Amino acid sequence: MPGYTQVDTSRLKSIYDRCLDFSEDKKDSIRYYAAFIEEEAVKLKFNKGHVLSCRLKGIYEEMMSNYESAIHFYLESLDAARKLNSIEYEISALSDLAILYSNIKEPQQAKTFYQQAARLSAYKGDIYNVVSTYNNLAVIFMQLKQFDSARVLLDEALRIGKPYEHTVDITSTYNNLGSLNFKEKKYDEALPFFRSNLYTHTLNNNVGDLWIDLLNLADLFTEKKQFDSAAWYAERTMDLARKLGSKSKEADSHAMLAKLSEYKEDYYSAYDHLKSWYELDTAIVNGDTHQTIAELQERFNAKEREAANKLLKEQVEKEMLKARSITLLAVAFGIIGALTAIAFITKRNANRRLQATNQLILQQNDKLAELNYEKNSLISIVSHDLNTPFATIQVWGDLMMHESERLSAEQQRALSKIIQASNYGEGLISRILDVEKKDIGNHKLRIENFDLTILTEDVIDNFKVMADKKEIRLHAELPEKELYILSDKHLVSRICENLLSNAIKYTPRGKNVWVSVNEEQDAISIKVRDEGVGIEKEEMPHLFSKYSMISSQPTDGENSNGLGLSIVKRIVEEINGKISCESEPGKGSLFTVILRK
């Protein structure tokens, strides 16, 4: 019965529209109705049923963070919409693909789909789609840091949508205007947009959009350093993410809490949240996923090319039949084949050249990073090791100056020049040390798993010559088994080198220095103990301060610029560790570094 069919197809469309409003806590219902619409559409011969079902399946898979499957269904929905010549559903499929690519950090691909959707929306004259597409495209421009273009699109979306705000949801425009002001550090201008949306979505009980509002406010108050407000909003985002069962939202909530903890200088909490974020984010999108997604996209493009070629071939065949010329038909196919081959070869060669260029750029970037790392290492070695020879020159120069009456006037002038040059050299090294100190915060962490026992043995070996010159005995108390730690090997090495150098420097001749490494539950301790001059109790609070000049002095005339322990403390904090000191004047000092595995 025609009437019965019309009612049922309308009911399927109504079910589809209702599913689009479902939040993530109802994703299982979306999957159920997608299958239901597919099955009923076949019975009713409803040709749009496949488009609707594929889109709902894609939405469900995206909510489950199964991005490969989501793209597969969105592409299938796009193909079906184009076969039906349905601009409305084609716009929906393009927008779905653009949003997903944006979520998996591929803004250029997202931009391509949004631009296609924008052109179709403008052509169709649908206010809702125009506003929605301009909003989404503005988000991509923000990701690409093209803020002026984003503002033009958002202003236009607001101009078009504002007169229809009772029928067109413009909260997305408000959200994006708030985000744009936020990215431009105009926090007070962003706040009214975020608060307006929070009020609206709280009234509507729209949990998914409410999560976005809370995250925006948490981020904004973090930047304004209003940490109590930021914490309240950030913790609510985590509650909502878990209620929705959304891994991507939970990952973003962890990232927000990590940022807040970092701003509050609570580095342990920041590390824990970052670790949770990394585990979730890596599970959601990894390299294999991107590869599979690229293959899906390429298969869809190939399908479109095949359809276009098929259409072209049919047109050619019709023309050949009209001409009734077998010769012309053969020539035409030959030309088409030649052009196709030329185009294929040209494109393949261009892709190879592009791939080779990209590979060369990557290699050059890696080489530059390696050279920069070697440069910084060289500065570190030179700035510390050159202190000793300059100090030695000064000591011998001062000694000779005491006997200067035995020298001729020319020799005295020469000696004065030597001491002057030595002082100048020491000043240069001090400035290099100062630059190095500032550079610690810019050091890019290179986390790796390495054996701390082997590293400590190497450091001790490097200082044996320095210790032998003062007849100091070095003792290594290291575990017999391998002891691995996940950290920055270069920075851990610098910690050991600085502490051991100081221990030798402040220990008298003929004494002892001990270096020990121990495993302590979920952490590792590095201890350096000496029989040196020790540190006065009242000077202990200032021990790790920059340029702290304590009364304790090196025992053999070595130079001390007050930066060594300050640098060590900065490095230890950089890798989320702790450092402490116990000391007694005349008996020596014990420095302890605790690093988490």
Side-chain angles (χ1 to χ4, degrees):
M1 294 173 60
Y4 177 80
T5 302
Q6 181 61 40
V7 170
D8 281 344
T9 55
S10 298
R11 182 166 60 90
L12 292 182
K13 182 63 169 60
S14 176
I15 291 172
Y16 163 80
D17 290 336
R18 194 161 67 249
C19 286
L20 295 181
D21 294 327
F22 285 173
S23 57
E24 287 180 272
D25 57 335
K26 295 181 180 178
K27 53 181 173 288
D28 289 336
S29 297
I30 295 176
R31 179 176 61 175
Y32 169 80
Y33 284 119
F36 176 80
I37 291 173
E38 182 80 23
E39 183 179 349
E40 291 298 312
V42 172
K43 294 178 184 178
L44 300 171
K45 297 182 180 179
F46 179 42
N47 59 358
K48 294 182 179 178
H50 185 57
V51 178
L52 307 184
S53 176
C54 284
R55 189 185 183 198
L56 291 181
K57 289 176 183 177
I59 292 171
Y60 167 77
E61 295 294 344
E62 185 174 0
M63 287 182 174
M64 293 295 293
S65 301
N66 298 327
Y67 294 133
E68 302 167 33
S69 298
I71 286 182
H72 167 76
F73 285 119
Y74 287 153
L75 288 173
E76 195 169 338
S77 178
L78 177 61
D79 183 51
R82 285 174 174 172
K83 287 178 179 177
L84 293 173
N85 196 27
S86 173
I87 295 179
E88 176 188 356
Y89 293 127
E90 186 176 352
I91 292 171
S92 298
L94 290 169
S95 298
D96 291 335
L97 285 163
I99 292 169
L100 194 152
Y101 274 110
S102 176
N103 289 338
I104 61 174
K105 315 297 188 299
E106 293 191 15
Q108 288 291 354
Q109 187 68 40
K111 178 181 173 183
T112 300
F113 284 118
Y114 274 138
Q115 287 174 330
Q116 293 179 42
R119 286 193 291 269
L120 288 175
S121 298
Y123 169 76
K124 192 171 184 292
D126 186 321
I127 299 297
Y128 173 82
N129 279 329
V130 170
V131 171
S132 176
T133 305
Y134 281 5
N135 269 299
N136 294 328
L137 192 54
V139 171
I140 299 302
F141 279 117
M142 281 192 278
Q143 291 179 3
L144 297 172
K145 300 188 184 305
Q146 298 174 12
F147 298 137
D148 290 341
S149 299
R151 190 171 292 279
V152 169
L153 285 167
L154 291 174
D155 288 342
E156 185 66 11
L158 191 60
R159 183 189 68 80
I160 295 171
K162 186 69 174 174
Y164 304 93
E165 61 181 323
H166 296 296
T167 56
V168 175
D169 183 10
I170 60 172
T171 58
S172 293
T173 307
Y174 287 149
N175 178 73
N176 294 332
L177 282 167
S179 298
L180 178 58
N181 286 316
F182 177 86
K183 288 180 181 293
E184 294 182 328
K185 302 186 184 302
K186 301 174 182 177
Y187 303 127
D188 291 333
E189 295 179 30
L191 187 56
F193 290 112
F194 291 155
R195 279 183 168 159
S196 172
N197 277 2
L198 179 66
Y199 175 76
T200 301
H201 295 141
T202 301
L203 289 178
N204 298 339
N205 195 28
N206 189 325
V207 182
D209 288 336
L210 189 59
W211 176 87
I212 294 173
D213 302 331
L214 294 169
L215 189 74
N216 286 335
L217 287 165
D219 206 1
L220 187 145
F221 282 117
T222 297
E223 291 293 342
K224 288 171 70 70
K225 294 184 170 52
Q226 298 178 15
F227 297 137
D228 290 340
S229 297
W232 189 85
Y233 287 114
E235 287 163 4
R236 288 193 65 194
T237 66
M238 182 62 74
D239 293 339
L240 282 182
R242 287 170 177 165
K243 178 181 177 182
L244 293 168
S246 171
K247 291 181 181 178
S248 61
K249 284 182 170 57
E250 189 174 345
D252 288 342
S253 297
H254 276 299
M256 185 65 256
L257 286 164
K259 178 180 178 179
L260 174 59
S261 298
E262 180 187 357
Y263 274 47
K264 294 167 65 178
E265 298 184 355
D266 182 2
Y267 298 113
Y268 280 115
S269 296
Y271 172 77
D272 288 336
H273 284 299
L274 276 178
K275 187 166 64 172
S276 298
W277 165 81
Y278 178 78
E279 290 171 355
L280 286 167
D281 196 62
T282 304
I284 291 170
V285 185
N286 55 34
D288 292 338
T289 301
H290 279 293
Q291 179 63 29
T292 306
I293 287 172
E295 290 172 358
L296 280 170
Q297 182 66 46
E298 179 55 31
R299 283 201 295 270
F300 177 77
N301 292 340
K303 189 176 179 181
E304 284 197 323
R305 289 195 297 271
E306 182 182 352
N309 289 337
K310 184 177 179 181
L311 180 62
L312 177 62
K313 183 178 178 182
E314 289 175 353
Q315 291 174 342
V316 171
E317 287 176 346
K318 288 179 182 179
E319 292 299 322
M320 296 308 159
L321 287 173
K322 288 180 182 180
R324 298 179 181 276
S325 173
I326 297 176
T327 304
L328 288 177
L329 179 63
V331 170
F333 272 114
I335 292 171
I336 292 172
L339 291 174
T340 302
I342 292 170
F344 175 76
I345 293 170
T346 302
K347 185 174 182 180
R348 184 181 62 186
N349 290 339
N351 286 339
R352 285 178 177 174
R353 288 194 298 271
L354 180 60
Q355 185 177 7
T357 302
N358 289 339
Q359 187 63 33
L360 179 60
I361 291 171
L362 289 174
Q363 291 174 353
Q364 289 174 337
N365 286 341
D366 289 341
K367 185 62 177 178
L368 286 173
E370 183 180 346
L371 290 173
N372 188 54
Y373 177 78
E374 291 177 358
K375 179 265 294 179
N376 289 337
S377 298
L378 179 61
I379 289 174
S380 177
I381 293 169
V382 171
S383 62
H384 287 87
D385 291 355
L386 281 184
N387 269 315
T388 299
F390 276 114
T392 303
I393 293 171
Q394 287 178 333
V395 169
W396 284 105
D398 290 338
L399 182 62
M400 293 175 67
M401 188 61 75
H402 287 307
E403 304 292 333
S404 61
E405 66 273 5
R406 299 183 181 181
L407 304 176
S408 66
E410 185 176 353
Q411 289 172 331
Q412 288 179 4
R413 282 196 301 273
L415 179 58
S416 176
K417 291 290 186 182
I418 291 172
I419 294 174
Q420 182 183 358
S422 174
N423 289 331
Y424 178 73
E426 186 180 23
L428 285 177
I429 295 302
S430 294
R431 285 193 288 275
I432 292 174
L433 282 168
D434 189 32
V435 172
E436 181 196 12
K437 160 69 166 57
K438 293 177 182 177
D439 187 54
I440 291 171
N442 296 325
H443 172 78
K444 184 177 181 181
L445 288 178
R446 297 189 176 188
I447 303 300
E448 58 182 301
N449 201 28
F450 62 90
D451 188 345
L452 185 58
T453 302
I454 295 176
L455 182 143
T456 309
E457 288 174 345
D458 291 341
V459 171
I460 293 172
D461 286 341
N462 291 336
F463 280 87
K464 281 183 177 178
V465 175
M466 181 178 177
D468 289 343
K469 287 181 179 179
K470 295 182 69 174
E471 299 174 358
I472 291 174
R473 292 177 292 277
L474 294 180
H475 304 277
E477 298 174 352
L478 306 175
E480 296 181 359
K481 63 177 182 179
E482 296 175 336
L483 188 57
Y484 280 89
I485 182 173
L486 187 65
S487 189
D488 188 306
K489 187 175 181 180
H490 171 66
L491 293 184
V492 174
S493 178
R494 288 183 64 183
I495 292 168
C496 296
E497 289 168 356
N498 274 277
L499 292 179
L500 186 52
S501 173
N502 273 2
I504 296 171
K505 190 184 296 184
Y506 287 91
T507 297
R509 288 181 173 274
K511 297 289 186 176
N512 298 279
V513 171
W514 291 266
V515 180
S516 65
V517 174
N518 293 288
E519 188 172 13
E520 299 180 6
Q521 295 180 350
D522 62 343
I524 290 175
S525 68
I526 304 171
K527 297 185 179 182
V528 178
R529 181 165 62 92
D530 61 56
E531 294 180 328
V533 296
I535 304 164
E536 295 293 340
K537 184 178 180 180
E538 60 271 15
E539 293 177 339
M540 290 291 289
H542 311 290
L543 183 62
F544 296 104
S545 301
K546 183 174 68 172
Y547 301 115
S548 60
M549 300 303 291
I550 59 177
S551 59
S552 302
Q553 294 297 318
T555 59
D556 210 20
E558 297 98 331
N559 180 56
S560 175
N561 51 39
L563 272 172
L565 290 177
S566 172
I567 290 175
V568 171
K569 186 173 187 294
R570 285 288 304 279
I571 294 174
V572 171
E573 290 175 347
E574 186 76 10
I575 55 179
N576 295 318
K578 290 184 176 180
I579 185 170
S580 60
C581 176
E582 303 171 27
S583 186
E584 186 175 348
K587 293 187 177 181
S589 303
L590 170 62
F591 286 87
T592 302
V593 176
I594 302 295
L595 300 175
R596 297 177 68 176
K597 290 183 181 177

